Structure formats: C-alpha cells, structure tokens
Amino acid sequence: MRVELLPGRTVDQRRRFAELVTDAAVEALGARRQDVRIMFEEVAADFVANGGVLASEDADRAGQVSRFGGSGATAAD
C-alpha cells in the first residue's frame, strides 16, 4: 500500500506506522507479514489539498504543516 505524508516524519514514526498497519493487515486480511508492503511517499504541502484548500494555505493545518516541513506561506504567517 502507498502512504502519502507531508515531509518531516521520522524513521521511528514511519517504522511504528508500518508495524501497526502490518499487524492490522495480518489480522483483518489474513495476509502473511512478509507480503504486506508499505511504501511511504513524501508530498510537499503545496501538492496536496484537503477540502479544496492547499495544505500549505490551510490556517487550521498551519501548525501541522510547519511542524512537518511544509512549504509556502500559511494564513497564520
């Protein structure tokens, strides 16, 4: 499965996510652990929109975007 994230998550965060999602796939789908593939893709905040608003321009997400290396100005700037 492909997981899109804003840049800045640590290796430990991605590792923990992969472990939890793998456990869930094994339990819910009966998948073999070695067959659960997770690919992380970092997406710039200017390249993703939620509710029609770029993540880099969403005042409600300004703290998250800056925390995880978002680009561009936010309404909170």
Side-chain angles (χ1 to χ4, degrees):
M1 69 186 64
R2 172 177 265 145
V3 177
E4 295 178 353
L5 299 167
L6 293 176
R9 297 311 200 296
T10 67
V11 170
D12 287 337
Q13 288 172 316
R14 292 191 305 272
R15 182 182 298 114
R16 179 76 175 135
F17 181 90
E19 290 170 356
L20 292 172
V21 170
T22 298
D23 291 344
V26 168
E27 181 179 331
L29 303 174
R32 297 183 318 159
R33 291 190 74 75
Q34 64 267 33
D35 292 336
V36 179
R37 177 184 292 191
I38 301 170
M39 184 170 67
F40 295 101
E41 182 174 351
E42 289 188 339
V43 180
D46 290 340
F47 289 16
V48 63
N50 296 299
V53 179
L54 290 174
S56 62
E57 298 174 347
D58 187 345
D60 291 336
R61 297 177 55 86
Q64 277 302 96
V65 171
S66 64
R67 180 175 156 206
F68 292 117
S71 60
T74 65
D77 286 345

